């Protein structure tokens, strides 16, 4: 049987049916990773392949579709309108395929499915803890997997249906996802016992000028911790961030070790402040507020366990008034 002929850029497209049967789906998966990683080199590293292999896969896909999908050059990576359209459709396709096994297994009378919860680092929520306890009591045969990742990766996992639902910080809401605010937390700047400002009171933002800092990967003007990035800019900290992590525990570790000033949720850091491991720094009033959301994909065909957990969580959020889910921030004299 003859091999399907590769169509060149600008050549009239083949009939739709032929494309369905002849298209190499591995090329589309590779394209998904290229867009997710924003580059061919990063995609090659993630897939454990050589860069020429990834570049060749992209070129073959573009030839097959007759459209330029990515514009590349020195310091340039831009997904074309055709590439964006393909990416959105491919996310839906791969999300549906990846869930076939889950749906087939979820056919017993008793709820026994698996739920994958994608979580931003160190989410502290009594509402979530209460719902998880109630869910287990109601469906003891259901299983739960919790994956900790950056907020950006949480959104990506939910959108691609690799996670049943997510809980994370949100910078911009994706139009294809549903959002329900779980709680609001407040960030403050802290230093460790080795820092020159540790133990000093009545400081102001000017006292932080030029200090080295550590932070989260999302502490940028274009990401989930934008309010923190704005305060960082106002305080005129040293532009050199000496340590970054997506894990709250690791950011805390670097602050305690004295690498620099760093942001932490105030309610999470309170115990360390009381133990003498952290010291609160300005701003003491009106700290940056960050909303944490439950994120779900309405296009996902949930198994009964997933639907049960999401319904219980949304119901409990509706029952608990928002002021009881708002950490408010500590009094100004803390620090």
């Amino acid at each position: 049987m003859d091999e399907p002929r590769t169509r060149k850029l600008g050549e009239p497209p083949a009939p739709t049916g032929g494309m369905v049967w002849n298209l190499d789906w591995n090329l589309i998966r590779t394209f998904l990773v290229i867009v997710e990683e924003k580059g061919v080199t990063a995609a090659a590293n993630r897939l454990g392949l050589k860069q020429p292999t990834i570049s060749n896969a992209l070129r073959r896909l573009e030839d097959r579709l007759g459209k330029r999908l990515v514009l590349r050059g020195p310091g340039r990576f831009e997904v074309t309108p055709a590439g964006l359209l393909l990416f959105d459709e491919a996310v839906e396709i791969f999300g549906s395929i990846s869930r076939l096994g889950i749906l087939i297994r979820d056919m017993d009378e008793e709820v026994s499915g698996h739920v994958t919860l994608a979580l931003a680092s160190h989410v502290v929520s009594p509402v979530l803890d209460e719902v998880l306890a109630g869910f287990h009591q109601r469906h003891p045969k259901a299983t739960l997997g919790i994956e900790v990742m950056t907020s950006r990766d949480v959104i990506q996992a939910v959108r691609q249906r690799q996670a049943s639902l997510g809980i994370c910080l949100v910078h911009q809401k994706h139009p294809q996802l549903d959002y329900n605010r779980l709680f609001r937390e407040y960030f403050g700047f802290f230093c460790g016992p080795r820092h020159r400002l540790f133990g000093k009171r009545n400081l102001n933002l000017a006292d932080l000028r030029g200090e080295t800092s550590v932070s989260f990967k999302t502490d940028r003007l274009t990401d989930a911790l934008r309010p923190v990035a704005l305060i960082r800019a106002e305080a005129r900290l040293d532009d050199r961030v000496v340590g970054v992590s997506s894990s709250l525990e690791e950011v805390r570790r670097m602050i305690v070790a004295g690498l620099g000033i760093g942001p932490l949720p105030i309610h999470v850091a309170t115990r360390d402040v009381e133990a003498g491991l952290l010291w609160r720094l300005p701003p003491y009033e009106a700290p940056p507020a960050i909303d944490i959301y439950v994120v779900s994909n309405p296009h996902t065909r949930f198994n009964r366990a997933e639907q049960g957990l999401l319904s219980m969580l949304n119901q409990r959020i509706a029952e608990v008034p928002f002021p009881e889910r708002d950490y408010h921030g500590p009094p100004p004299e803390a620090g």
Side-chain angles (χ1 to χ4, degrees):
M1 182 176 181
D2 293 338
E3 292 291 329
R5 185 175 65 87
T6 298
R7 185 166 60 91
K8 301 302 182 182
L9 287 174
E11 186 177 338
T16 303
M19 181 177 295
V20 168
W21 290 106
N22 296 331
L23 188 61
D24 185 345
W25 289 93
N26 288 324
L27 298 181
I28 296 184
R29 176 55 186 157
T30 301
F31 174 70
L32 278 176
V33 177
I34 291 172
V35 176
E36 291 168 1
E37 297 297 327
K38 295 182 171 59
V40 170
T41 301
N45 292 335
R46 175 172 158 185
L47 295 172
L49 300 172
K50 295 181 179 180
Q51 181 176 339
T53 302
I54 302 300
S55 295
N56 182 55
L58 175 60
R59 184 165 53 253
R60 287 171 57 200
L61 181 60
E62 290 179 328
D63 289 345
R64 184 69 183 85
L65 298 176
K67 293 287 185 181
R68 186 70 66 197
L69 302 175
V70 174
L71 301 178
R72 293 187 291 154
R76 182 189 186 192
F77 179 85
E78 180 181 348
V79 184
T80 66
L84 292 173
L85 176 62
L86 175 62
F87 179 79
D88 287 339
E89 293 298 324
V91 165
E92 294 296 316
I93 293 169
F94 277 91
S96 297
I97 293 173
S98 67
R99 295 187 56 79
L100 285 177
I102 296 174
L103 295 173
I104 291 172
R105 289 194 300 269
D106 188 42
M107 298 181 68
D108 296 332
E109 290 186 6
E110 187 173 4
V111 174
S112 58
H114 183 75
V115 181
T116 300
L117 179 59
L119 214 63
S121 175
H122 213 92
V123 169
V124 179
S125 169
V127 170
L128 175 61
D129 296 343
E130 178 185 338
V131 168
L132 290 178
F135 175 77
H136 178 64
Q137 291 176 354
R138 186 177 300 180
H139 307 299
K141 288 194 174 182
T143 57
L144 175 69
I146 298 180
E147 303 289 342
V148 179
M149 55 187 72
T150 67
S151 291
R152 173 191 168 194
D153 289 340
V154 169
I155 297 296
Q156 181 173 291
V158 173
R159 189 180 172 207
Q160 296 185 3
R161 306 176 202 180
Q162 297 170 353
S164 312
L165 61 150
I167 299 178
C168 64
L169 293 69
V170 175
H171 174 54
Q172 289 182 328
K173 294 182 179 179
H174 194 283
Q176 295 180 352
L177 301 179
D178 289 339
Y179 297 82
N180 195 359
R181 183 169 58 177
L182 179 59
F183 65 90
R184 174 175 290 167
E185 63 184 7
Y186 298 81
F187 275 74
F189 284 126
F190 296 87
C191 67
R194 295 178 176 85
H195 199 277
R196 70 177 189 86
L197 296 179
F198 189 88
K200 294 187 178 181
R201 299 182 179 274
N202 301 318
L203 300 171
N204 54 54
L205 279 180
D207 294 312
L208 309 186
R209 183 175 302 171
E211 293 290 337
T212 59
S213 62
V214 301
S215 197
F216 297 88
K217 290 182 177 180
T218 51
D219 180 1
R220 295 176 296 202
L221 292 174
T222 58
D223 217 323
L225 285 180
R226 173 182 169 83
V228 174
L230 289 171
I231 297 295
R232 175 189 299 280
E234 183 181 352
R236 299 178 66 180
L237 297 174
D238 191 322
D239 291 337
R240 186 171 56 97
V241 179
V242 299
V244 294
S245 177
S246 59
S247 166
L248 183 145
E249 290 300 329
E250 299 311 318
V251 172
R252 171 194 171 277
R253 184 199 305 274
M254 291 186 286
I255 297 172
V256 173
L259 273 67
I261 292 170
L264 291 171
I266 294 170
H267 65 284
V268 174
T270 297
R271 186 174 298 178
D272 281 335
V273 171
E274 295 172 350
L277 294 175
L278 293 173
W279 186 257
R280 175 80 187 280
L281 299 170
Y284 304 125
E285 298 182 356
I290 306 290
D291 287 331
I292 310 298
Y293 288 86
V294 175
V295 185
S296 58
N297 189 337
H299 304 291
T300 297
R301 290 186 61 188
F302 291 114
N303 64 38
R304 287 179 293 165
E306 293 169 321
Q307 186 60 63
L309 179 60
L310 180 59
S311 297
M312 289 177 65
L313 193 51
N314 285 334
Q315 179 180 345
R316 193 58 185 145
I317 290 173
E319 293 171 348
V320 179
F322 181 70
E324 297 180 24
R325 295 181 278 116
D326 182 356
Y327 280 99
H328 302 292
E333 62 268 22

